Amino acid sequence: MTRDQHFDLAGYDHTGRLAVLLEAKRRAGTDAGWASELRRNLFARDGAPQADLFAVIVPDRLYVWRASSPADSMPDHEIDARPLLAPYFARVGVASDAITPEAFEMLVSWWLDDLTRQDIVEDSLKPSGLPSAVRGGRIEREAA
């Protein structure tokens, strides 16, 4: 990640190029409007990222934008994140409404890391481009 961009997670493709930046928020009751406002505020603070995709994930939703989407646009893809993250919540034995923000970010990093190695991906996720963007790559968490 560049020194002036502070996002929770960065996904790099198989060549080492920055492919996706992601914010993980443990927040309930979000919608596309909330996600769009969060994205706009982050971009105002840190500038538009130099990545193919930008995503915001909460325990029950995944919002994804292409790099070409204007800063104030609604997400290009909105996906139910519950089936994607359910195995990870089960693994740590914590409910989505009881997990700490830091633990949620770690849980999302595990999911993304697994996504880099998976050839079979849930159909709902494929149109977002996220699986192909990180396949064979690596995930990095922002240093605290």
Side-chain angles (χ1 to χ4, degrees):
M1 276 183 272
T2 63
R3 292 175 55 101
D4 59 338
Q5 291 182 327
H6 304 285
F7 299 98
D8 294 333
L9 300 160
Y12 296 84
D13 69 12
H14 67 280
T15 68
R17 187 180 59 80
L18 180 63
V20 61
L21 288 171
L22 185 135
E23 278 293 305
K25 301 292 182 196
R26 188 211 57 151
R27 183 177 176 132
T30 67
D31 60 20
W34 171 86
S36 180
E37 184 176 340
L38 175 66
R39 179 177 179 258
R40 183 178 59 247
N41 290 340
L42 289 169
F43 286 13
R45 180 190 77 192
D46 293 328
Q50 300 300 309
D52 298 336
L53 300 171
F54 180 80
V56 173
I57 190 165
V58 296
D60 65 343
R61 306 301 301 159
L62 172 63
Y63 306 98
V64 182
W65 292 262
R66 291 183 306 275
S68 60
S69 299
D72 61 350
S73 68
M74 297 300 269
D76 295 309
H77 301 278
E78 183 177 344
I79 301 158
D80 184 356
R82 290 172 297 194
L84 304 172
L85 299 178
Y88 301 88
F89 281 112
R91 189 180 308 161
V92 297
V94 106
S96 63
D97 61 349
I99 195 166
T100 66
E102 296 81 12
F104 179 66
E105 184 180 318
M106 179 64 77
L107 183 144
V108 170
S109 74
W110 294 335
W111 168 70
L112 279 173
D113 192 54
D114 285 349
L115 196 59
T116 67
R117 295 186 300 268
Q118 290 180 349
D119 292 325
I120 299 170
V121 177
E122 186 168 324
D123 288 339
S124 67
L125 194 55
K126 289 179 185 178
S128 72
L130 188 57
S132 60
V134 298
R135 185 171 296 117
R138 72 183 193 285
I139 304 302
E140 291 184 4
R141 295 181 65 214
E142 178 186 45

